[in-house]
Amino acid sequence: MPIRVIGPARAGVAGDARVRVMAVFERLSALLDGHIRTQLVASAVRFRIPDHLADRTLTDAELSGLTGIGVPTLRRYLRALEGLGLVEPAGENAYRGTALIESLRRDTGILYGHALMAGAEYYGAWSELDYALRTGESAFEHRYGRDLWRHFDGDDDAAVSFARTMRFNTERFLQEILGLYDFPDDGVVADLGAGDGTLLAELLVRAPKLRGIAFEQPATIGIARRTMEDRAVADRCELVAGDFLAEVPPGADLYVIKSVIHNWNDEAALRILRNCRTSIGERGRLLLIERALKIDDALEAAIRDLAMLVLLGGQSRSVGEYEELLRRAGYSVEQTLTAPSGFCLLDAKPDV
């Protein structure tokens, strides 16, 4: 029986194929193991490791006493956190937190609440992705029997943490937004879905003759009040708790709706915009601020869009889709301004 000899070319082809198979395997494995990384970070927050390692170094024995995790298991866990870049060795059997871990601290971390929910409620909601895809409805509400906003009604810690994250998201784009639009120096500005009140407070600080209305759900209106007090503008701001799906407070010259409409499907979004249309006076205006869907960051945009579906039953939209929503709700869009970050500001007035 003749012996077959595999020549260099054939061996090279086989080797290349093996390399491609391994690359695919590693890529897909990394994608499938994302849930592990989520829980590694969430557990660190649940065991208060970011707080325990805040500005100090601890031995594994000391950290074990604080967390209740046995030293042998803790060492294995800390190796994983080191691999994620959250902790680093600081001497024999000692560790300190990295810069990343600062954002996960309970009292100050901008992602503390997000980490907790990513490892619990968000985690459960995403496991119901199939339901959201089949129905176009919120997987969160399907899983827990209440929407995300009602969840905050019963969890003050979650509400405060969520507001902290929203503050950061507002602050990092605030100057861009303020530089793009000519906000009024006097009159009344109503911020619908004001969050912690960061945007409205800044407008009031900049314009001493301006008055404001901060409109939020009951669970978070107290957070907006603290912001107004901290910025010394509480005397010029009326705080109103309510539901903009039902009604919107009247009496403002400019209504601002920032990062709200993407939380809702078209039916609910139109209800909000029409409720606002009812409250706007003859010379009032509406400023819709949203991060528009773009095609040049396809994966990030797709994930952000699906997150709206899974968690809230909402959706991201393009600039054109936001303009169409406004027209359907009874507005004329007078100008559309787009920032480098992708935020768009749609300046509209009610149709007469």
Side-chain angles (χ1 to χ4, degrees):
M1 184 175 180
I3 299 174
R4 295 175 59 202
V5 177
I6 299 176
R10 185 176 295 276
V13 170
D16 290 345
R18 187 163 53 250
V19 169
R20 287 196 297 272
V21 168
M22 289 304 299
V24 169
F25 173 82
E26 291 172 2
R27 170 66 173 158
L28 286 175
S29 294
L31 293 175
L32 291 169
D33 289 346
H35 67 289
I36 298 174
R37 290 169 172 78
T38 297
Q39 292 299 343
L40 286 170
V41 177
S43 284
V45 174
R46 288 190 289 259
F47 281 103
R48 304 289 301 277
I49 288 176
D51 299 295
H52 297 319
L53 292 180
D55 304 318
R56 61 175 175 171
T57 298
L58 294 175
T59 66
D60 50 18
E62 292 170 327
L63 195 54
S64 173
L66 291 169
T67 62
I69 305 174
V71 170
T73 303
L74 181 61
R75 287 176 179 171
R76 296 163 63 187
Y77 180 48
L78 288 171
R79 280 203 304 270
L81 295 186
E82 183 183 348
L84 293 177
L86 296 178
V87 303
E88 60 187 11
E92 186 175 0
N93 297 325
Y95 294 86
R96 60 174 169 252
T98 67
L100 283 181
I101 217 166
E102 290 299 308
S103 293
L104 299 173
R105 292 172 61 176
R106 186 173 189 269
D107 293 333
T108 58
I110 55 175
L111 290 175
Y112 165 79
H114 183 75
L116 285 180
M117 296 191 72
E121 289 88 355
Y122 292 167
Y123 201 82
W126 275 100
S127 73
E128 303 286 353
L129 175 60
D130 290 2
Y131 171 84
L133 294 175
R134 282 195 304 267
T135 65
E137 298 175 356
S138 165
F140 187 100
E141 190 167 353
H142 173 69
R143 175 67 177 248
Y144 299 108
R146 62 186 185 279
D147 64 27
L148 182 61
W149 312 120
R150 300 290 80 75
H151 171 77
F152 291 144
D153 284 343
D155 190 334
D156 290 342
D157 192 40
V160 170
S161 297
F162 183 81
R164 186 188 303 155
T165 301
M166 293 304 99
R167 167 177 284 193
F168 174 75
N169 286 335
T170 297
E171 287 178 339
R172 63 186 179 135
F173 299 114
L174 185 58
Q175 297 309 313
E176 187 177 62
I177 291 170
L178 293 175
L180 204 60
Y181 184 77
D182 186 18
F183 286 91
D185 293 328
D186 56 17
V188 179
V189 173
D191 190 350
L192 307 181
D196 80 318
T198 295
L199 173 60
L200 182 57
E202 181 64 23
L203 293 177
L204 294 174
V205 167
R206 287 170 168 244
K209 295 181 180 179
L210 189 66
R211 299 189 65 81
I213 300 172
F215 186 70
E216 252 300 346
Q217 59 180 325
T220 52
I221 192 67
I223 301 171
R225 177 180 291 106
R226 287 194 291 273
T227 299
M228 299 304 164
E229 292 170 349
D230 290 344
R231 300 298 302 275
V233 293
D235 60 325
R236 290 189 284 126
C237 184
E238 180 184 1
L239 294 115
V240 181
D243 179 2
F244 41 45
L245 288 170
E247 60 180 347
V248 169
D253 303 293
L254 174 65
Y255 286 82
V256 178
I257 308 179
K258 177 188 172 296
S259 301
V260 167
I261 297 300
H262 71 269
N263 294 331
W264 306 92
N265 60 26
D266 282 358
E267 180 183 358
L270 285 169
R271 190 187 311 169
I272 295 168
L273 294 172
R274 286 166 178 159
N275 285 342
C276 189
R277 170 72 180 82
T278 300
S279 294
I280 290 180
E282 293 181 1
R283 294 187 298 174
R285 305 187 73 84
L286 172 70
L287 182 65
L288 183 65
I289 305 175
E290 287 286 353
R291 193 172 182 182
L293 191 63
K294 298 191 300 181
I295 60 172
D296 57 348
D297 58 349
L299 178 59
E300 179 186 350
I303 291 174
R304 191 164 62 243
D305 180 34
L306 287 174
M308 293 302 100
L309 171 63
V310 168
L311 300 179
L312 297 159
Q315 64 183 92
S316 296
R317 297 175 177 87
S318 66
V319 172
E321 288 170 327
Y322 282 120
E323 290 174 337
E324 178 61 21
L325 267 182
L326 285 166
R327 281 190 286 268
R328 290 173 61 190
Y331 297 87
S332 296
V333 179
E334 297 215 322
Q335 61 174 336
T336 299
L337 308 166
T338 303
S341 65
F343 267 99
C344 63
L345 284 70
L346 297 97
D347 183 19
K349 67 175 184 179
D351 288 334
V352 178

